[in-house]
Amino acid sequence: MAIRNVRGPPAMTLPLFPPDDNALLEERLRALFRSWIDYRSLSTSRLRTERPLKEESAIVYQEMWHAFAAYCAQRKLDVTTIEAADIQTFLMLRESGRASAKPRVCIKGSDLSPRYAWRLLTLIDRITRFHAEREGVAPNRAATELLQRSEYRYANASHRDPLPEFCTDAQAKRLIAYLTEIRHAESPQGPMSWKEVRDRTAVGLMLGAGLTPGDVRAMTLEGIAIEGGRRAGLPWKLALPGNGNAPARETPVAEWAGRRLAVWLSVRENHHIKGELVFPSTLGGKTWSHTGCYESCKTVLEGAGLGNDSGGVFKLRHTFALRQLAKGRTEAEVARWLGLLDLSSMARYRRVMPRPIDVA
């Protein structure tokens, strides 16, 4: 399941009053977040507020909560003593850039997005309610009160959803050229290591098949379809397992990405890599960790000259979706390939479709 990536130690009960040690308080607040994530991961509810979180959401929420936890620890605040004014101060610090660990999402220039504020308030509200129910105490209503204010209450309206980040035509072509590069022994950098080939192939499938980092880490060899494609011997379709939040699905693979995957499978075989995972972290077949996968893919983007662009690795998945829609695929088809259960999630792509989309 995707949310396993942010799990940690067993639940830790927060004290009614914060300890003197700021680092200890911050760790306890982080542990509360991990307990909430674990609680959600085991949920069988269909309610959006209770079901397991998608990997992308869990990562963003973790980043938001960690920044808030550091702020609370500096001021000796815990989930029972935080007040609305404290949360507003945190938001102002984020906007001014004086708070540590600025968010990666929903920020344009120096302005704090209303949607980011709404997401943070909602996160605080849900975690404080979770803590109150677990400890049998009255919930802290500071975030609840702020959510009733008009500037936050309507911040999550659909017309305010941030537009998806995606690669321009030039960016995509540059990245594809970098991903499909072949280095020989006589090249200045020498031949690629098996991990370099793995990393570039993984990024290639994010752009050429719409995979998430979680998909990359969970994909198995039996899910690669080679027979029946237009090009003999080239992978053309992937079968991906469900992750507890999205259903099992199949997705097509761009021809260039299929060629890159074929190269990786040959390298994988030549190095006698064990196990059934397509992209393990070791020759012995160990699962690629979330952090290891993220850092490796980030390095690939930096090597292609895209390291400073916004959107991260998920912009590759958005580019895949837009490419398919531009080709005339229906929203239902693309949503199925992406593993999206809610078709309304495709609305944000319609808002950028008038822009030229051309990905090789």
Side-chain angles (χ1 to χ4, degrees), residues 23-74:
L24 178 58
L25 175 56
E26 182 176 351
E27 174 52 34
R28 293 193 178 199
L29 287 169
R30 288 189 175 202
L32 175 61
F33 174 84
R34 293 193 293 267
S35 296
W36 177 68
I37 287 290
D38 284 342
Y39 168 78
R40 292 283 295 263
S41 73
L42 298 175
S43 173
T44 58
S45 174
R46 291 181 176 270
L47 294 176
R48 187 173 183 177
T49 58
E50 296 181 8
R51 66 193 185 195
L53 291 165
K54 291 184 178 180
E55 180 178 37
E56 182 177 8
S57 296
I59 294 171
V60 172
Y61 282 142
Q62 176 177 273
E63 183 180 68
M64 296 168 83
W65 183 261
H66 281 187
F68 184 64
Y71 165 83
C72 289
Q74 290 170 0

Side-chain angles (χ1 to χ4, degrees), residues 199 288-302:
D199 298 347
W288 207 0
S289 71
H290 163 71
T291 301
C293 178
Y294 172 78
E295 292 297 333
S296 296
C297 293
K298 180 181 175 183
T299 299
V300 171
L301 293 180
E302 290 173 347

Side-chain angles (χ1 to χ4, degrees), residues 193-210:
S193 68
W194 71 268
K195 286 190 175 181
E196 287 181 284
V197 179
R198 176 200 63 185
D199 298 347
R200 295 195 189 198
T201 306
V203 171
L205 293 184
M206 293 178 190
L207 178 62

Side-chain angles (χ1 to χ4, degrees), residues 290-331:
H290 163 71
T291 301
C293 178
Y294 172 78
E295 292 297 333
S296 296
C297 293
K298 180 181 175 183
T299 299
V300 171
L301 293 180
E302 290 173 347
L306 302 178
N308 294 324
D309 295 328
S310 60
V313 295
F314 283 95
K315 74 183 300 180
L316 307 179
R317 173 175 162 89
H318 296 323
T319 304
F320 167 82
L322 287 166
R323 170 179 177 260
Q324 297 300 328
L325 291 171
K327 284 184 173 182
R329 301 297 188 180
T330 67
E331 290 187 0

Side-chain angles (χ1 to χ4, degrees), residues 149-215:
R149 299 185 182 181
S150 59
E151 64 265 37
Y152 302 127
R153 186 175 183 180
Y154 302 108
N156 197 42
S158 59
H159 68 279
R160 291 193 177 186
D161 282 348
L163 296 177
E165 300 278 358
F166 61 92
C167 295
T168 65
D169 182 28
Q171 289 174 328
K173 288 181 178 178
R174 184 165 75 246
L175 178 58
I176 291 172
Y178 181 78
L179 297 176
T180 55
E181 175 188 15
I182 298 177
R183 289 210 315 256
H184 300 289
E186 61 271 16
S187 64
Q189 299 86 1
M192 289 186 191
S193 68
W194 71 268
K195 286 190 175 181
E196 287 181 284
V197 179
R198 176 200 63 185
D199 298 347
R200 295 195 189 198
T201 306
V203 171
L205 293 184
M206 293 178 190
L207 178 62
L211 269 57
T212 67
D215 294 330

